[in-house]
Amino acid sequence: MKTYTQPEKLIVAIAPVGISGVIGAFIFGIGMQLGGACGCGTLYTIGSGNYTMIITLITFCLGSFCASISQDLWSGLPQIPPIVLGETIGWKNAVIVQLIIFFFLAIIVGIWTKNSPTSPKNSSWRNFLYNPWSIFTGGIILGLLNWLTLVISGQPWRITWGFALWMAKIAMFLGWNPSSSKFWDGDPALSSSVLADTTSILIPNSQLVYLKSIYGHDAFLTDSIEVNKLVINFLHQL
C-alpha cells in the first residue's frame, strides 16, 4: 500500500485490487443484508433511536479488527498492482478524465430519476425538506460532504477505520499486545485519545467538555454565555 501526502495536509492510500477485495466485498454484502445497514447506515440508525443496531455495530467492530490483525493472510493472495491515474497520465489529465466520467454518469442518473415513478415532481423547498430526495440530489450532496470532509480532516470520508480502532483499543484494555500485529505495531492512533482520531471525531483536535447547568440537556440552547466561553477556550488552544 502506498500513501501520498501531497499536498501536505492530504493523506491518500493507494492499495492493489485482488482476491482479498473480492472476498471482502462478498462478506460485506452478506453482512450488510443480515445486519440491515452498511457502516454509515449503522451509525445513522443507532443515532435515530434503533438500539438493536448496536449488535451490528459490535460485530462490525469485531470484523474490522480481525481483518486488520490477519492482514498478512489477505495481502498474500493474488492481486493486481495499484493503478494511479495521476502517475499514469498526469494529475491534471486524471482529474479531467474523472470529471468527464462523472458528468456522463450524472446525465444518466438524472434521466433515470426523472422517468422514475417515485421521483418527486414538485421541486419546492418544502418538498426538499420533508420528502425523500432523488438519487441525483443525494449524489450531489454526498459529493459536497465528501469534499468538505477532505478539507476539514485532510483525508477522504471513511468509517470502518474507526470501527477497527475502537475494537483495537478495547483489545488493548483486555491485554492484547499491538506489537504482535504488523498492521498495528507502532500506530500512533493507539497511544492517543479516540477523540484525536478524525474518523471518530471529524473536527481535528476535538475535545470532550462538560457544561454544568440547571437547564439539563437544553443547556447548549439557553446557557449561551457558558457555551461561548467553552468555544473560545477551545479556539485559543488550536
Side-chain angles (χ1 to χ4, degrees):
M1 179 179 292
K2 301 168 69 175
T3 302
Y4 292 86
T5 57
Q6 203 57 274
E8 281 184 14
K9 295 184 179 180
L10 299 182
I11 301 174
V12 181
I14 307 298
V17 178
I19 301 299
S20 60
V22 176
I23 297 175
F26 182 74
I27 295 176
F28 172 80
I30 294 176
M32 183 173 174
Q33 293 301 315
L34 294 176
C38 61
C40 295
T42 300
L43 298 177
Y44 160 77
T45 309
I46 293 175
S48 34
N50 185 356
Y51 297 119
T52 58
M53 289 296 289
I54 293 178
I55 298 175
T56 302
L57 177 61
I58 293 174
T59 55
F60 226 134
C61 292
L62 285 170
S64 301
F65 177 67
C66 290
S68 68
I69 61 177
S70 58
Q71 183 190 33
D72 289 341
L73 170 65
W74 304 111
S75 60
L77 297 176
Q79 58 189 14
I80 300 174
I83 300 175
V84 184
L85 286 180
E87 294 182 347
T88 306
I89 61 176
W91 294 104
K92 291 183 179 179
N93 292 333
V95 171
I96 293 174
V97 169
Q98 292 183 72
L99 288 177
I100 292 174
I101 294 175
F102 293 152
F103 174 75
F104 283 106
L105 286 176
I107 293 177
I108 294 173
V109 172
I111 295 174
W112 178 33
T113 56
K114 184 178 181 180
N115 297 330
S116 173
T118 59
S119 177
K121 305 303 179 184
N122 185 1
S123 59
S124 66
W125 280 105
R126 185 177 183 83
N127 183 71
F128 179 81
L129 292 175
Y130 295 104
N131 292 328
W133 296 342
S134 67
I135 297 178
F136 187 75
T137 303
I140 293 176
I141 294 176
L142 278 175
L144 292 174
L145 289 175
N146 271 280
W147 171 79
L148 188 61
T149 301
L150 186 65
V151 171
I152 293 176
S153 66
Q155 59 189 14
W157 197 337
R158 57 180 188 171
I159 298 295
T160 51
W161 160 251
F163 295 165
L165 177 61
W166 303 344
M167 195 65 234
K169 284 186 171 291
I170 294 174
M172 285 180 61
F173 177 78
L174 297 176
W176 170 69
N177 186 2
S179 62
S180 62
S181 169
K182 182 180 178 181
F183 182 89
W184 292 105
D185 187 23
D187 195 318
L190 293 177
S191 57
S192 57
S193 169
V194 172
L195 299 180
D197 177 61
T198 53
T199 304
S200 303
I201 303 294
L202 183 59
I203 302 176
N205 302 316
S206 298
Q207 297 178 6
L208 180 63
V209 296
Y210 298 92
L211 175 62
K212 294 182 179 180
S213 174
I214 61 174
Y215 301 108
H217 67 277
D218 292 327
F220 74 99
L221 294 174
T222 55
D223 209 345
S224 58
I225 296 178
E226 292 301 320
V227 172
N228 287 337
K229 289 180 180 179
L230 292 173
V231 173
I232 292 173
N233 182 58
F234 170 72
L235 292 176
H236 285 165
Q237 297 179 34
L238 294 179

